[in-house]
Amino acid sequence: MAQQLRPPVITIMGHVDHGKTTLLDYIRKAKVAAREAGGITQHIGAYQVEHQGKKLTFIDTPGHAAFNKMRERGADVTDLIVLVVAANDGVKPQTIESIRHIKRSNKPFLVAINKIDMEGVYPDMVKAQLAEHDILVQGYGGDVETIELSAKTGKNVDKLLETLAVMAELAEFKADPEAPLEAIVIEATLDNKRGPVASVIVKNGTLKVRQDLTVEDIEGRVRQLTDENSNQLQAVLPGSPAEIVGLKKVPPVGSMVKEVGRDYAEKVENEAAGSELVDADQSPAAPVDPFADLDVDFAFGDKEKLTLIIKADVEGTLEVIKQNLDPDSVEILASGVGQVTEQDIELAQASDARIIAFHIKVPTKIRDLAKQNGVKIKEYDVIYKLIEDLQKQILRLMEPTIDEVVIGEAEILQIFEMKGERIAGVRVKTGEIKRSDLMHLKRGDEILANPVIKSMMHGKEEIQSLKAKNEGGLTFKNKKLNFQVGDILQAYKESDE
Ligand code: GDP
């Protein structure tokens, strides 16, 4: 299915006591979608309202904490930002901090000048102060929209919603309800009765009841989907929030919820019938698309191989794991169904192999024995996680033997999405980065991948290089390159010596 327009996701920011909560409460009370009126409201971290037939989704945990947590994980749900400034108080430290966030995020935003019901307040004073911080509003040399409103009386709140709806229309936020599911966790808790509860906003695809999910290494199945008015839902479309019950653990804020199984089922169907692949009923870990998240951006040369002993709970899963390991980079010394044994440890020690235990709880006795013999046992419950980890270990083995000279480093500050493609918004910290350079994608000291740049943009202009202190947008040939905010792109060349 093609991309379709979706509701915008709006975040409210500003200084403490400037009226963010009051504004969110007012909007919610005044504008709950008609079909949902009468429901018992519950806090799920976001809510949706309708204004003149258009849906708007508000994140209702104002402030920066949630925003920062999400950014740390490279998650980005916000489409539009409302900067609230109280007319009686003006620009304050957290207003300035919010301005910094807004500038860095590059998102469309508007300024709500609040508390205009109070006596003796001058909205123009706020506008002049904003200009000092490079926010040029209409009438003050720029085109940033301002709405003078009162969250208390509701004056001009409609105008705010209308402006947000227009901004959303102009920006054309789109997603594909039939794409693989991507939903971002905005809040998560452990509920006494219901177990782990996660509030999410769907970014792409459709979240459905009974879907099998993974969130990082947590699995689950959607047992219950609820909206902020306690309505039970069957399906949630992009741009909308919902609360999920059914995950096995509490996922971190900012993590991405994905669907398990659909791609996998298709893959199985497409493969020769009768092949010994996982039977979904048989294996608690399956089905997973083992390719879903991999960075396979590197070529294997005549490098050292990773030697493994693989143990899994069922034959089908074992086969899937084996089939997805590259024989050029991994040597499977032994594999089998069932518990890790003393013989496995002996073999591993003799051959300098690692042991992979998939969906097996390794007894302490065996663990201790492995430790004493310097053998590594790694347990996994999710196939893609296993494969991802192995790729990282292979990369580590592949650490260059020839000298590399670093010629430039850029930090990923933001991640954008355009036409289904992820764009890394970077700032060059040192040296220079050219489009044709060899690159490492690094997180901390670890090289995650050796990506190849597909395009380099500055604004709308296609460029060939970026020098220190400059910012630009990069896309990569590997569309699934798993970069996050904070990662480093290192351009290097191989030294001849
Ligand atoms: P937050 O910290 O930004 O979430 O601010 P709150 O929404 O908690 O508001 C702080 C205080 O300002 C509360 O006492 C509100 O009642 C008050 N307040 C919020 N909006 C308005 C407004 O438009 N007019 C007036 N007079 N008071 C407001």
Side-chain angles (χ1 to χ4, degrees):
M1 195 191 274
Q3 298 273 318
Q4 294 183 358
L5 285 173
R6 61 166 176 84
V9 179
I10 301 155
T11 295
I12 297 190
M13 297 186 132
H15 193 70
V16 63
D17 279 347
H18 279 198
K20 300 179 291 292
T21 314
T22 311
L23 180 60
L24 280 160
D25 287 349
Y26 186 92
I27 295 171
R28 178 171 173 148
K29 285 200 193 100
K31 286 286 169 182
V32 170
R35 69 184 160 83
E36 288 154 349
I40 305 157
T41 59
Q42 56 162 356
H43 175 85
I44 65 164
Y47 64 75
Q48 198 167 64
V49 296
E50 251 178 63
H51 178 73
Q52 295 176 348
K54 293 190 187 99
K55 287 183 177 153
L56 304 167
T57 300
F58 285 90
I59 306 259
D60 75 347
T61 7
H64 307 152
F67 199 80
N68 281 343
K69 267 194 189 160
M70 285 194 217
R71 270 195 38 164
E72 274 168 26
R73 295 191 157 257
D76 195 4
V77 275
T78 303
D79 299 309
L80 300 173
I81 300 171
V82 175
L83 174 63
V84 172
V85 188
N88 64 328
D89 208 18
V91 170
K92 291 281 155 190
Q94 283 166 295
T95 319
I96 296 167
E97 201 186 319
S98 305
I99 291 172
R100 252 204 319 267
H101 275 300
I102 290 169
K103 283 188 180 159
R104 279 185 83 170
S105 77
N106 242 335
K107 311 243 179 219
F109 71 102
L110 60 75
V111 180
I113 301 180
N114 190 29
K115 307 198 185 184
I116 56 157
D117 59 292
M118 291 177 78
E119 273 183 34
V121 295
Y122 300 100
D124 279 358
M125 177 198 81
V126 175
K127 295 180 188 175
Q129 284 180 336
L130 285 169
E132 287 170 26
H133 295 277
D134 234 14
I135 299 288
L136 303 179
V137 307
Q138 287 173 7
Y140 282 74
D143 56 7
V144 175
E145 294 264 8
T146 50
I147 315 285
E148 296 170 19
L149 52 77
S150 165
K152 196 171 179 181
T153 67
K155 187 173 180 198
N156 284 345
V157 171
D158 258 9
K159 202 168 147 195
L160 170 76
L161 298 177
E162 199 166 314
T163 311
L164 288 169
V166 170
M167 285 167 80
E169 238 171 65
L170 284 174
E172 292 197 330
F173 299 116
K174 285 184 176 168
D176 178 358
E178 290 202 345
L181 174 70
E182 284 180 2
I184 306 283
V185 176
I186 53 170
E187 280 189 18
T189 54
L190 187 61
D191 185 281
N192 281 344
K193 292 195 189 112
R194 298 179 297 165
V197 175
S199 297
V200 301
I201 289 186
V202 177
K203 282 204 81 170
N204 219 353
T206 304
L207 175 64
K208 293 179 205 137
V209 173
R210 288 183 295 280
Q211 226 166 13
D212 288 313
L213 304 177
T214 56
V215 194
E216 302 194 346
D217 57 355
I218 302 165
E219 294 174 54
R221 164 171 266 223
V222 183
R223 283 197 280 121
Q224 214 174 62
L225 268 186
T226 330
D227 72 7
E228 69 277 18
N229 299 304
S230 306
N231 296 310
Q232 296 292 327
L233 309 172
Q234 290 301 314
V236 185
L237 291 169
S240 297
E243 194 176 68
I244 302 173
V245 173
L247 289 170
K248 291 194 178 150
K249 285 190 206 152
V250 179
V253 168
S255 55
M256 167 97 73
V257 180
K258 292 180 182 172
E259 181 185 358
V260 171
R262 198 173 70 164
D263 294 354
Y264 181 82
E266 279 166 13
K267 181 176 177 309
V268 172
E269 262 173 36
N270 293 339
E271 287 193 8
S275 71
E276 246 193 280
L277 282 173
V278 148
D279 173 349
D281 291 327
Q282 194 187 358
S283 162
V288 170
D289 173 9
F291 298 113
D293 257 51
L294 300 187
D295 293 333
V296 277
D297 222 353
F298 42 84
F300 295 110
D302 289 323
K303 303 279 172 161
E304 215 180 320
K305 283 190 182 184
L306 194 63
T307 313
L308 300 178
I309 295 172
I310 306 174
K311 302 301 283 280
D313 57 340
V314 290
E315 186 64 38
T317 316
L318 190 62
E319 283 312 307
V320 173
I321 295 169
K322 287 194 327 202
Q323 279 167 18
N324 285 291
L325 296 176
D326 188 326
D328 287 334
S329 53
V330 175
E331 184 187 353
I332 302 171
L333 197 62
S335 65
V337 171
Q339 192 49 261
V340 177
T341 62
E342 288 181 21
Q343 287 75 29
D344 293 330
I345 293 175
E346 264 175 43
L347 182 63
Q349 194 199 13
S351 320
D352 203 13
R354 287 156 217 225
I355 300 177
I356 303 289
F358 190 83
H359 237 269
I360 292 171
K361 189 91 205 81
V362 180
T364 318
K365 198 180 93 197
I366 292 286
R367 271 204 169 280
D368 290 345
L369 184 68
K371 223 182 247 170
Q372 286 158 22
N373 288 286
V375 170
K376 281 197 184 133
I377 304 183
K378 194 107 202 262
E379 288 180 38
Y380 291 92
D381 284 319
V382 184
I383 293 180
Y384 87 80
K385 192 78 196 147
L386 183 165
I387 302 203
E388 201 172 67
D389 265 9
L390 289 181
Q391 300 285 21
K392 283 184 194 159
Q393 287 171 28
I394 293 162
L395 277 173
R396 238 173 266 140
L397 285 180
M398 288 177 58
E399 261 177 323
T401 45
I402 21 170
D403 281 338
E404 284 178 8
V405 182
V406 174
I407 44 188
E409 281 195 321
E411 187 185 354
I412 300 181
L413 298 180
Q414 296 163 37
I415 295 167
F416 311 99
E417 278 196 48
M418 208 183 279
K419 296 183 188 135
E421 200 159 46
R422 290 174 85 225
I423 302 169
V426 304
R427 181 179 168 85
V428 177
K429 292 171 35 168
T430 53
E432 184 180 9
I433 287 189
K434 290 207 201 67
R435 214 173 117 155
S436 53
D437 280 339
L438 293 169
M439 304 286 275
H440 291 315
L441 173 68
K442 292 181 78 173
R443 191 166 301 158
D445 285 329
E446 202 178 335
I447 297 175
L448 300 184
N450 299 322
V452 179
I453 296 179
K454 190 173 121 198
S455 71
M456 188 181 255
M457 307 289 285
H458 184 73
K460 290 199 167 129
E461 202 187 327
E462 183 88 43
I463 52 171
Q464 297 302 320
S465 73
L466 265 176
K467 289 209 167 69
K469 303 212 167 52
N470 286 314
E471 295 186 354
L474 304 179
T475 63
F476 303 95
K477 291 230 167 105
N478 174 8
K479 286 200 176 148
K480 295 203 165 160
L481 187 67
N482 191 9
F483 52 83
Q484 290 183 3
V485 169
D487 287 352
I488 299 290
L489 284 159
Q490 189 175 60
Y492 68 94
K493 66 177 182 212
E494 290 172 358
S495 133
D496 297 333
E497 274 135 49

